[in-house]
Structures are given as structure tokens and as C-alpha cells.
Amino acid sequence: MRTIKACLFDLDGVLVDTAVYHFKAWRRLAQTLGIDFTEHDNERLKGVSRVRSLEIILEIGGQTLPQEQMLALCEQKNTEYLLDVAQMTPDEILPGVVDFLKALKAEGIKIALGSASKNAQLILERTQLLPYFDAIIDGRHVTIGKPDPEVFLKGAEALGVLPSECVVFEDAVAGVEAAKNGDMLCVGVGQPEVLTQADVVVKDLTEMSVARLRELEQKG
């Protein structure tokens, strides 16, 4: 049996929904390259880095570009995305998030962010979620993307807990795999038929509580 001492959260699709902003920015960029980029295609970008996202879009369009041009396009996309993010408010926090974070704090359970986004801190500031977090590990702190567990292992280290004492909350298959690769329990946020490796799947954090978290300890 495990003892849960910390919860590590992905950002997009778990705490807030910035997916629509990412999609709009990537679609605009794809259009400049003459590539038709759909919402279905966008599913492949969940949980992966900015550079890898552009690589996928180029694969869809059957194109290749020099590394220098790719990096410039990634910066262009991020600039447009940040214009949208700068307008975010607490109204864009997903259901159940604040109540669950408050419950974790009251129970003395540590909280960290584990996200590929390099804009995570800005988003947490804009949505007023930042004070709940004891550590933030984002795209600026990792060199290997999910499904490698680096982001979550660094989160555990920053919190001073063992990986086996952590529960990860993820909405992406790669993120769930990263949690399991790091010997962590995982709560999938989304569809059970997609997040098949998660220990339990919820539609959103309205279905989570400290009591349900304690039930997960039995899965250890």
C-alpha cells in the first residue's frame, strides 16, 4: 500500500483549457504553410513540445523545413498564443479544480505542476491558481518530453517526496504513460477508453476528493 503525499498536475485540459488557443495559433501557422490543419489533427499535439507539434504539422502537410526556420515559426506561434493567454481570467479554470486544490492544501498534501508548457507560470498567474502550488516544473526545466517521466520525477524531487508517494493528474496518453514510467499512480482526466493505462479516470476534478485519493492508496 502506498502513502500519497503529493499531487502533480498537468496544466492544459486538467486545470485550465487553453487547447482552443493552441489550436487557433497552430491552425493560423499551418495555413501560412498551405497545410490544412483540423481539430482531429490537433489531438496529436496533446502533451507534446512546441517543436514536436510543428514537426507533426509538417508531417501532415508532407513538408520539411530547416531547423532554424522551424524555431522561428515556433516563436511566431507562441507570440500569437500569448496574446490570447494574456486575456485569461479565473473564469477559464475547469470545473472542480479550485475546490480540490483547497482540499489538498487543507489535508497537507503537496501540490506541483508538471507541464510541457513554457507559459505555465503566466497561465497560473492569470487564472489566480499560482498560490496553490508548492513547485512548478514546466517546459523550461525539462529536456525530455512525455512519455519520459522527467517532468514528474523533477516535480517529486522539488517537493521532497518519493515518486511512489505521488499521484499524477493527466488528460493525455503520453502524460499517463509518463506517470506510469515514473512509478506514480495516475488519475486520467477525460475518457476511459482513451486513457486506458490510468489507475482511475474521471470526467473532471468535480469527481475527485481527498477520500477518493485515499482509495487510490490501496492500488499501491
Side-chain angles (χ1 to χ4, degrees), residues 23-38 57 63 76 80:
F23 172 61
K24 287 179 179 178
W26 281 126
R27 184 172 59 180
R28 286 194 294 264
L29 187 146
Q31 286 171 343
T32 66
L33 297 171
I35 298 171
D36 182 28
F37 182 66
T38 67
I57 291 170
Q63 298 184 25
Q76 175 186 322
E80 293 191 20

Side-chain angles (χ1 to χ4, degrees), residues 162-178:
L162 298 173
S164 60
E165 296 171 329
C166 297
V167 178
V168 170
F169 292 78
E170 263 285 357
D171 74 319
V173 172
V176 174
E177 291 176 356

Side-chain angles (χ1 to χ4, degrees), residues 2 5-9 110-114 134-137 142 149-168 178-179 182-185:
R2 300 185 187 223
K5 295 183 180 180
C7 290
L8 282 63
F9 293 87
K110 295 181 179 181
I111 301 171
L113 188 81
D134 301 300
I136 296 172
I137 308 297
V142 296
E150 181 187 17
V151 68
F152 296 134
L153 293 176
K154 285 192 171 182
E157 182 181 6
L159 294 176
V161 298
L162 298 173
S164 60
E165 296 171 329
C166 297
V167 178
V168 170
D183 189 32
M184 299 180 181
L185 293 169

Side-chain angles (χ1 to χ4, degrees), residues 76-119:
Q76 175 186 322
K77 178 266 175 183
N78 194 51
T79 299
E80 293 191 20
Y81 168 72
L82 287 176
L83 291 175
D84 288 328
V85 167
Q87 308 304 316
M88 289 183 73
T89 71
D91 290 338
E92 293 173 84
I93 298 171
L94 291 171
V97 169
V98 172
D99 286 343
F100 186 49
L101 293 178
K102 285 180 177 178
L104 294 177
K105 280 290 186 189
E107 194 72 11
I109 296 171
K110 295 181 179 181
I111 301 171
L113 188 81
S115 170
S117 172
K118 292 183 178 179
N119 306 304

Side-chain angles (χ1 to χ4, degrees), residues 46 170-173 176 186-204 207 212:
K46 275 191 174 182
E170 263 285 357
D171 74 319
V173 172
V176 174
C186 185
V187 175
V189 180
Q191 300 174 320
E193 59 271 25
V194 175
L195 306 174
T196 55
Q197 292 187 47
D199 295 288
V200 65
V201 179
V202 297
K203 67 171 184 176
D204 57 38
E207 296 184 355
R212 191 162 188 190

Side-chain angles (χ1 to χ4, degrees), residues 2-3 5 36 39 43 45 49 70 73 102 112 114 122 124 131 143 146 159-160 168 183 199 213:
R2 300 185 187 223
T3 300
K5 295 183 180 180
D36 182 28
E39 289 190 50
E43 288 297 306
L45 272 53
S49 70
M70 285 182 62
L73 288 173
K102 285 180 177 178
L122 172 63
L124 292 179
T143 55
K146 303 168 186 176
L159 294 176
V168 170
D183 189 32
D199 295 288
L213 204 62

